């Protein structure tokens, strides 16, 4: 033992010094991996102090598959533990960024085997930096670790830990189900909701039976699949995994039904599409297959059509008959296509967002878009539908191929492009000088090692075309020929000829000349190794490059830049054409009652300015620009609406009030950005991100009650702008993509790094806007003239529930939980009890503030509850939202939690 603890001797043998010198010469070579296998040193000679024990040649030093799986399990477990944070919102924590796994180890070219994998040939060792950084991975990499023998006590301890983790996970998922059931029970306390359920009771029972039956028979199908001969043999080989996430099964059907129960109180037909979509959102694994490629899809489609086949009552038949005369999209013949539409939309959205969205979020997004397509009736919802459906479909059809080309071109590194003036790379091969090959009497096809790419597939070498008979060499000048040791001159040394080169150049036909691309000498022709077009000099297979990258390899960098700008110009022109032609025409005809959208917008914002009204009248533009009427009775008509509405209608004017709101929002944005830039060098990322949350609170909480329809319109336009800008950023279109990427980089979190879409700011905006859009959809509309449908007679606390939840609750949970969170929830995940309490407290107080502002402003309220009862309702709603935020894992809390809070506020009638 004492001898093993001594430091290794500093003196090395003569043989070891020679090996080290050989390795040093190879490492100092300009191309150390352009060697054949026999030229590389033996693996055991590279790192004598850490070399693995000697193994037989028949046994590879590559770790076994089981070892790799164990290593991956260890890394994944460490990765999950590293993401645990101390805040109430795990997705926003900076620890998530710090805990992201390192890139996959990719040894150098010479350290890979023939197939590109790790092997003992030519060298399985990594660099000393990697060895020092992670000794565990190195041991698994160099040799197979010995099997760990666990005693009985460790086995019992591991089994007990697994059972405890499964129990905690069951408790967590049960809590999610209880929350959704509790929210549904609260909504059923409403008399209008009970009437709606009684109207569609047959379809609702049919949906419940289908879902419960599929869930119940799923374990039986698994048993039959595992053991077809004896499926009922005990013990059953089924167990609930500790990582089970029921979000795709719980949230899409339940949230769809719960939201529709509120919105369908005015239009009862809206519940029937939700029942069909609730069945359409079931996970694919639950659906039995009837055989064939699309067997499960056929069964799924048939199950979604069963509610339409149920015999209808007289009341239900009357509702369907009255509705399909007004909206043909809600006819039964159209509703049978909802399941195929939902599946196609999910595939398209998954293709666009890839890994940016979770399965439950993808299903909810698809259902929301379909509901918007079918049920949009107010002007604000029609404009939102035109932006999302019309704009998205138009961009996808007209610019899809160009965007893919632009992305492929942006991914090509600069060194892969053809050099300016080099026409040979466009043909796929680079030749040496033709005169030199003519002198040798044989064709030498050698690629330039500096320019050629050894990491990508290349075309086979083409034969050199025959030399032109007009080619003549100028041999009038001579120069001494030199040769380096261990090389032979390309020209026979005994042959006395004049030199073909003069000052490194050869002359062709008189005054035209070309430069030599290499020295005058070549290795012996008999010893030249054969170069394969499919393998590197080290012997491994060349990595295949995509066809999209090879398509641009013949361009120079200048040509590639020009093509990028052409792609960008085409996309920008298509976007402008879609907005100014298609969307403008649709919005003017459907949403604005035939008014021209640009003229309507000018009158909507500037119609109360005296100079603007005078200019419109002077130039006779009343048919284009809609001016608000002046009756002189605004003072009397607005007195009973409260002092804020009196100022809005009589004192300032409706259009001037909107200009004031725009100026107020712009000031908040400027101040918020200045604060964020000042905090960039002082505070961490999570704290800077919360500034944007507070900006949303300052912008929307006091202004939403003033003009809710204008706030909804502004949020719709901002969502469209955010999506468009993120499309430009992800597509890397100049000149906006780099600036947007640089601006967003300091504020991204772990969810933004999972896919191409930066979802943080988009989900923040959606979380604030969805409750307002849903509240406006559940309220009657008023207005006259060109503003018909742009006024809401009442105000509700539910309009600002999204701003309260995302802006105040989420920010308070993160800030308090990160600094004072010491007690974690039993199910782990990084959420702290202190953060959840801060969430509930902030949301409860904000709901009371919203109710107070509603009463102070003098708007007609939805109830006359006492402050004690209002405090109890607000506390209960805040507690449910906080518990949902603590247990939620399968969806983004900036979207799901605001919807849960909106349902609680509407159900409790706060």
């Amino acid at each position: 033992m004492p001898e093993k603890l001594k430091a290794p001797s500093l003196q090395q043998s003569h043989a070891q010094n020679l090996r080290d010198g050989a390795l040093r010469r190879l490492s100092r070579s300009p191309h150390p991996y352009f060697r054949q296998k026999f030229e590389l040193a033996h693996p055991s000679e590279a790192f004598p102090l850490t070399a693995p024990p000697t193994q037989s040649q028949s046994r590879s030093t590559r770790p076994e598959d089981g070892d790799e799986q164990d290593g991956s399990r260890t890394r994944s477990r460490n990765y999950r533990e590293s993401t645990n944070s101390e805040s109430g919102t795990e997705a926003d924590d900076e620890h998530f960024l710090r805990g992201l796994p390192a890139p996959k180890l990719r040894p150098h070219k010479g350290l890979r085997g023939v197939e590109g994998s790790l092997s003992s040939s030519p060298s399985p060792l990594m660099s000393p930096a990697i060895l020092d950084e992670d000794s565990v991975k190195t041991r698994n990499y160099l040799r197979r670790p010995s099997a760990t023998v666990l005693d009985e006590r460790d086995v019992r301890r591991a089994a007990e830990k697994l059972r405890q983790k499964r129990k905690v996970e069951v408790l967590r998922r049960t809590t999610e189900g209880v929350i959704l059931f509790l929210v549904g029970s609260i909504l059923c306390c409403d008399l209008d909701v009970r009437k709606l359920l009684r109207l569609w009771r047959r379809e609702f029972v049919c949906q419940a039976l289908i879902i419960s039956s599929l869930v119940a028979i799923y374990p039986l199908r698994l048993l039959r699949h595992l053991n077809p001969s004896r499926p009922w043999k005990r013990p059953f080989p089924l167990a609930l995994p500790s990582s089970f996430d029921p979000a795709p099964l719980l949230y899409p059907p339940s949230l769809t039904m719960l939201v529709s129960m509120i919105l369908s109180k005015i239009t009862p037909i809206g519940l029937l599409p939700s029942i069909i979509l609730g069945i359409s959102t079931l996970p694919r694994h639950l659906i039995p297959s009837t055989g064939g490629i699309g067997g499960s899809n056929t069964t799924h489609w048939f199950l979604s059509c069963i509610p339409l086949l149920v015999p209808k009552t007289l009341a239900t038949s009357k509702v369907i008959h009255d509705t399909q005369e007004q909206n043909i999209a809600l006819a039964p013949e159209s509703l049978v296509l909802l399941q195929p539409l939902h599946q196609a939309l999910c595939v398209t959205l998954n293709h666009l967002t890839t890994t940016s969205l979770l399965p439950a979020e993808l299903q909810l997004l698809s259902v929301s878009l379909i509901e918007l397509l079918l049920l949009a009736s107010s002007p604000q919802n029609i404009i939102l539908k035109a932006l999302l459906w019309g704009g998205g479909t138009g961009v996808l059809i007209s610019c899809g191929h160009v965007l893919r080309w632009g992305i492929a071109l942006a991914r090509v590194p600069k060194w892969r492009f053809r050099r300016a003036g080099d026409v040979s790379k466009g043909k796929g091969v680079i030749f040496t000088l033709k005169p030199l090959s003519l002198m040798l009497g044989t064709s030498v096809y050698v690629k330039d090692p500096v320019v050629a790419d050894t990491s990508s597939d290349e075309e086979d070498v083409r034969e050199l075309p025959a030399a032109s008979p007009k080619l003549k060499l100028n041999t009038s000048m001579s120069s001494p020929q030199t040769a380096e040791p261990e090389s032979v001159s390309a020209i026979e040394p005994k042959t006395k000829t004049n030199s073909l080169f003069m000052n490194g150049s050869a002359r062709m036909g008189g005054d035209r000349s070309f430069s030599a691309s290499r020295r005058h000498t070549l290795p012996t022709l008999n010893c030249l190794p054969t170069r394969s077009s499919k393998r590197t000099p080290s012997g491994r297979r060349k990595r295949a490059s995509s066809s999209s990258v090879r398509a641009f390899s013949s361009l120079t960098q200048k040509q590639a830049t020009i093509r990028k700008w052409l792609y960008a110009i085409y996309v920008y022109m298509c976007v402008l054409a879609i907005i100014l032609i298609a969307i403008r025409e649709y919005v003017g005809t459907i949403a604005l009652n035939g008014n021209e959208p640009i003229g309507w917008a000018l009158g909507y914002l500037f119609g109360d300015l005296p100079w603007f009204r005078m200019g419109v009248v002077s130039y006779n533009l009343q048919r284009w620009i809609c001016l608000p009427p002046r009756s002189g009775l605004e003072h009397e008509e607005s007195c009973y609406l409260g002092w804020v509405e009196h100022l809005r209608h009589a004192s300032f004017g409706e259009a001037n009030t909107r200009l004031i709101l725009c100026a107020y929002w712009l000031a908040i944005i400027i101040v918020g950005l200045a604060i964020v830039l000042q905090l960039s060098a002082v505070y961490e990322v999570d704290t800077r991100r919360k500034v944007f949350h507070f900006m949303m609170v300052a912008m929307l909480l006091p202004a939403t009650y003033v003009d809710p329809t204008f706030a909804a319109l502004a949020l719709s336009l901002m969502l469209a702008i955010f999506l468009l800008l993120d499309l430009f950023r992800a597509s890397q279109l100049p000149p906006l993509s780099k600036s947007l990427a640089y601006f967003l980089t300091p504020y991204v979190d772990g969810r933004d790094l999972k896919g191409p879409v930066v979802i943080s700011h988009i989900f923040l905006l959606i979380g604030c806007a969805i409750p307002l859009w849903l509240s406006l959809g559940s309220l009657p509309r008023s207005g006259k003239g060109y503003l018909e449908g742009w006024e809401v007679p009442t105000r509700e606390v539910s309009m600002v529930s999204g701003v309260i939840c995302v802006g105040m609750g989420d920010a308070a949970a993160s800030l308090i939980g990160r600094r004072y969170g010491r007690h974690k929830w039993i199910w782990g995940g990084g959420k702290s009890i202190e953060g959840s309490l801060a969430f509930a407290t902030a949301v409860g107080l904000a709901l009371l503030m919203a109710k107070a502002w509603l009463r102070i402003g003098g708007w007609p309220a939805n109830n006359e509850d006492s402050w004690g009862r209002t405090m109890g309702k607000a506390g209960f709603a805040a507690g449910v939202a906080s518990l949902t935020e603590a247990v939620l894992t399968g969806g983004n809390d900036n979207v799901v939690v605001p919807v849960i809070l909106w349902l609680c506020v509407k159900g409790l009638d706060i």
Side-chain angles (χ1 to χ4, degrees):
M1 289 298 296
E3 295 82 31
K4 297 182 180 180
L5 299 178
K6 292 181 180 180
S9 176
L10 299 179
Q11 297 180 357
Q12 298 180 350
S13 63
H14 179 66
Q16 182 62 38
N17 292 333
L18 293 178
R19 296 189 187 101
D20 294 342
L23 288 177
R24 190 178 300 109
R25 285 193 298 273
L26 286 178
S27 64
R28 295 177 64 85
S29 170
H31 303 289
Y33 299 118
F34 286 7
R35 304 283 179 177
Q36 299 296 329
K37 293 182 180 180
F38 62 86
E39 298 178 355
L40 297 176
H42 193 269
S44 62
E45 299 175 355
F47 305 103
L49 298 179
T50 58
T54 305
Q55 299 179 355
S56 63
Q57 296 180 359
S58 61
R59 182 176 181 180
S60 175
T61 59
R62 181 174 51 195
E64 302 293 337
D65 296 339
D67 301 337
E68 293 178 354
Q69 294 177 0
D70 295 341
S72 63
R73 294 192 193 102
T74 304
R75 289 192 297 269
S76 62
R77 181 174 64 252
N78 297 336
Y79 166 64
R80 287 195 298 268
E81 293 175 359
S82 65
T83 59
N84 293 343
S85 61
E86 299 178 355
S87 70
T89 53
E90 183 181 6
D92 293 336
D93 290 337
E94 192 178 6
H95 299 286
F96 196 99
L97 290 175
R98 297 175 180 174
L100 288 176
K104 184 178 179 181
L105 293 177
R106 182 171 174 263
H108 294 286
K109 300 174 184 177
L111 301 182
R112 279 183 249 175
V114 176
E115 302 297 333
S117 59
L118 302 173
S119 67
S120 60
S121 177
S123 176
L125 298 179
M126 296 181 289
S127 63
I130 302 178
L131 292 173
D132 296 337
E133 181 179 358
D134 198 344
S135 61
V136 177
K137 294 180 181 179
T138 304
R139 287 196 298 269
N140 294 334
Y141 177 76
L142 294 177
R143 59 181 179 270
R144 181 180 180 181
S146 59
T148 304
V149 180
L150 299 178
D151 55 8
E152 186 178 356
R153 182 183 305 173
D154 294 337
V155 173
R156 287 199 303 268
R157 189 180 305 164
E160 181 63 27
K161 184 178 180 180
L162 182 61
R163 284 194 296 269
Q164 184 66 23
K165 187 176 182 180
R166 186 176 290 111
K167 290 180 181 179
V168 170
E169 196 65 25
V170 170
L171 176 62
R172 183 177 193 174
R173 304 313 173 189
T174 305
T175 305
E176 287 186 277
V178 170
I179 290 174
L180 294 175
F181 179 78
L182 180 61
V183 173
S185 302
I186 294 173
L187 296 181
C188 290
C189 296
D190 190 353
L191 180 60
D192 295 333
V193 174
R194 291 200 299 269
K195 291 181 180 179
L196 184 66
L197 294 178
R198 193 178 301 113
L199 176 65
W200 300 100
R201 59 185 180 274
R202 295 183 180 181
E203 290 77 9
F204 185 75
V205 172
C206 180
Q207 183 203 41
L209 288 177
I210 291 174
I211 296 177
S212 58
S213 300
L214 291 176
V215 174
I217 67 174
Y218 182 69
L220 306 180
R221 294 172 52 213
L222 284 180
L223 289 175
R224 184 177 177 276
H225 177 74
L226 294 175
N227 192 359
S229 59
R230 303 180 63 184
W232 313 116
K233 182 182 179 180
R234 295 191 178 186
F236 297 137
L238 297 179
L240 185 66
S242 57
S243 59
F244 174 66
D245 187 6
L249 179 61
L250 282 178
Y251 291 108
S254 58
L255 289 183
T256 302
M257 289 298 302
L258 294 176
V259 172
S260 296
M261 289 163 59
I262 298 294
L263 299 180
S264 300
K265 291 191 294 184
I266 299 178
T267 56
I269 191 61
L271 191 62
L272 183 58
S274 300
I275 292 175
I276 299 174
L277 289 173
I279 301 175
S280 302
T281 56
L282 293 177
R284 190 174 183 179
H285 301 290
L286 287 179
I287 310 300
S289 178
T290 58
I293 299 177
S296 60
N297 290 333
T298 304
T299 307
H300 203 173
W301 171 76
F302 175 75
L303 293 176
S304 66
C305 295
I306 292 179
L308 295 174
L309 303 177
V310 174
K312 303 295 187 292
T313 61
L314 293 177
T316 305
S317 301
K318 184 177 183 304
V319 170
I320 295 177
H321 182 269
D322 295 340
T323 305
Q324 68 182 10
E325 293 181 355
Q326 302 175 0
N327 190 356
I328 193 63
L330 297 177
E333 294 80 3
S334 302
L335 295 180
V336 295
L337 302 176
L338 288 185
Q339 194 272 340
L341 176 62
H342 171 71
Q343 296 297 329
L345 189 57
C346 285
V347 173
T348 304
L349 294 175
N350 186 37
H351 174 72
L352 295 176
T353 60
T354 60
T355 57
S356 297
L357 297 180
L358 298 176
E361 297 171 352
L362 194 66
Q363 298 279 347
L364 288 173
L365 178 58
S366 176
V367 170
S368 302
L369 291 175
I370 294 176
E371 294 275 6
L372 179 65
L373 178 65
L374 297 178
L375 304 175
S377 58
S378 64
Q380 298 80 29
N381 291 336
I382 293 175
I383 293 175
L384 181 61
K385 179 177 72 173
L387 292 174
L388 296 182
W389 277 97
T393 306
V395 171
L396 184 63
I397 294 175
S398 61
C399 306
H401 293 289
V402 178
L403 291 175
R404 284 197 296 269
W405 297 337
I407 294 174
L409 181 58
R411 289 177 177 176
V412 179
K414 294 181 179 179
W415 59 272
R416 293 291 300 272
F417 292 118
R418 180 173 57 87
R419 294 179 180 178
D422 187 1
V423 297
S424 58
K425 189 173 183 180
K427 301 179 181 179
V429 63
I430 300 176
F431 298 99
T432 54
L433 295 176
K434 292 184 179 180
L436 185 60
S437 62
L438 293 175
M439 289 186 302
L440 295 175
T442 180
S443 298
V444 181
Y445 308 103
V446 182
K447 297 179 183 179
D448 190 348
V450 179
V451 182
D453 179 23
T454 61
S455 298
S456 61
D457 286 340
E458 296 167 353
E459 301 178 4
D460 295 336
V461 179
R462 308 173 192 171
E463 291 193 0
L464 192 66
S468 173
K470 298 180 180 180
L471 179 63
K472 296 181 180 180
L473 300 178
N474 183 7
T475 58
S476 59
M477 301 286 295
S478 63
S479 61
Q481 300 197 11
T482 59
E484 295 183 0
E486 300 181 3
S487 64
V488 180
S489 176
I491 306 175
E492 292 295 333
K494 296 181 180 180
T495 305
K496 295 182 180 180
T497 59
N498 293 333
S499 175
L500 301 178
F501 298 89
M502 181 180 65
N503 296 330
S505 63
R507 300 189 177 275
M508 298 177 57
D511 52 353
R512 290 191 302 170
S513 64
F514 64 97
S515 300
S517 62
R518 57 171 300 148
R519 297 189 295 269
H520 303 317
T521 58
L522 285 174
T524 305
L525 296 181
N526 297 330
C527 299
L528 283 176
T530 59
R531 298 219 173 193
S532 174
S533 62
K534 298 184 181 294
R535 298 190 182 276
T536 62
S538 61
R540 70 174 180 86
R541 181 177 296 176
K542 293 182 179 180
R543 189 173 69 253
S545 60
S546 62
S547 59
S548 60
V549 173
R550 291 197 301 267
F552 299 107
S553 60
S554 61
L555 300 177
T556 63
Q557 185 174 348
K558 183 178 180 180
Q559 292 172 345
T561 303
I562 295 176
R563 186 167 295 192
K564 288 180 183 179
W565 278 96
L566 291 177
Y567 290 160
I569 293 173
Y570 174 80
V571 172
Y572 296 150
M573 295 296 293
C574 288
V575 169
L576 288 178
I578 292 171
I579 294 175
L580 297 179
I581 298 176
I583 296 179
R584 173 171 162 268
E585 184 67 23
Y586 179 82
V587 169
T589 304
I590 306 300
L592 303 180
N593 299 323
N595 295 309
E596 204 279 324
I598 298 178
W600 183 92
L602 293 175
Y604 187 68
L605 290 176
F606 306 102
D608 285 330
L609 296 176
W611 61 268
F612 183 81
R613 296 177 67 92
M614 182 62 66
V616 171
V617 174
S618 301
Y619 292 99
N620 196 19
L621 299 176
Q622 294 93 332
R623 294 185 178 181
W624 178 45
I625 299 177
C626 301
L627 297 177
R630 293 284 184 87
S631 61
L633 301 177
E634 292 83 0
H635 181 78
E636 299 178 1
E637 294 176 353
S638 61
C639 287
Y640 70 95
L641 297 178
W643 64 273
V644 176
E645 286 297 297
H646 178 70
L647 290 176
R648 175 171 170 255
H649 288 278
S651 300
F652 297 123
E654 299 176 11
N656 289 338
T657 304
R658 299 182 191 105
L659 289 178
I660 294 173
L661 290 178
C662 291
Y664 170 72
W665 290 339
L666 182 61
I668 293 295
I669 292 174
I670 294 175
V671 173
L673 291 178
I675 294 175
V676 168
L677 295 178
Q678 290 293 329
L679 297 179
S680 298
V682 181
Y683 293 93
E684 55 192 6
V685 175
D686 184 68
T687 304
R688 300 198 302 266
R689 285 166 54 89
K690 298 312 169 188
V691 176
F692 294 102
H693 290 242
F694 292 122
M695 287 170 57
M696 298 298 293
V697 174
M699 291 172 60
L700 297 177
L701 187 58
T704 301
Y705 288 162
V706 177
D707 197 342
T709 56
F710 178 60
L713 177 63
L715 290 174
S716 300
L717 296 177
M718 288 305 302
L719 177 61
I721 292 174
F722 278 7
L723 293 175
L724 200 59
L725 291 179
D726 201 70
L727 174 66
F728 295 157
R729 180 203 58 81
S731 303
Q732 304 185 36
L733 296 177
L736 300 177
S737 58
K738 288 187 177 180
S739 301
L740 293 173
Y742 291 152
F743 177 77
L744 294 176
T745 298
Y747 311 106
V748 298
D749 62 359
R751 287 293 308 274
D752 298 326
L753 301 177
K754 293 177 64 176
V757 182
V758 179
I759 61 176
S760 293
H761 61 292
I762 297 176
F763 278 2
L764 174 65
L765 180 64
I766 291 177
C768 295
I770 281 182
L772 177 58
W773 293 337
L774 296 178
S775 298
L776 293 177
S778 63
L779 295 176
R781 298 302 181 91
S782 61
K784 52 187 177 179
Y786 78 102
L787 292 178
E788 182 180 359
W790 289 87
E791 290 292 337
V792 180
T794 60
R795 306 291 191 270
E796 291 183 352
V797 178
S798 61
M799 293 179 177
V800 295
S801 58
V803 180
I804 290 172
C805 181
V806 175
M808 300 191 68
D810 187 75
S814 180
L815 297 178
I816 299 299
R818 285 174 60 86
R819 287 155 181 80
Y820 305 105
R822 298 295 180 267
H823 303 84
K824 303 293 183 181
W825 288 95
I826 58 175
W827 45 72
K831 306 295 179 68
S832 64
I833 299 179
E834 289 83 359
S836 299
L837 290 177
F839 185 98
T841 303
V843 170
L845 292 177
L847 289 176
L848 293 178
M849 292 172 55
K851 188 68 175 181
W853 172 230
L854 188 63
R855 292 189 176 182
I856 292 174
W859 289 284
N862 54 333
N863 59 44
E864 298 295 335
D865 291 340
S866 62
W867 281 107
R869 189 172 182 178
T870 302
M871 291 177 61
K873 292 181 179 180
F876 182 81
V880 172
S882 176
L883 188 59
T884 304
E885 192 268 344
V887 301
L888 180 65
T889 56
N892 192 285
D893 53 358
N894 285 345
V895 177
V896 177
V897 181
V899 174
I900 295 293
L901 180 61
W902 178 81
L903 292 171
C904 292
V905 172
K906 292 289 290 187
L908 295 173
D909 195 21
I910 298 178

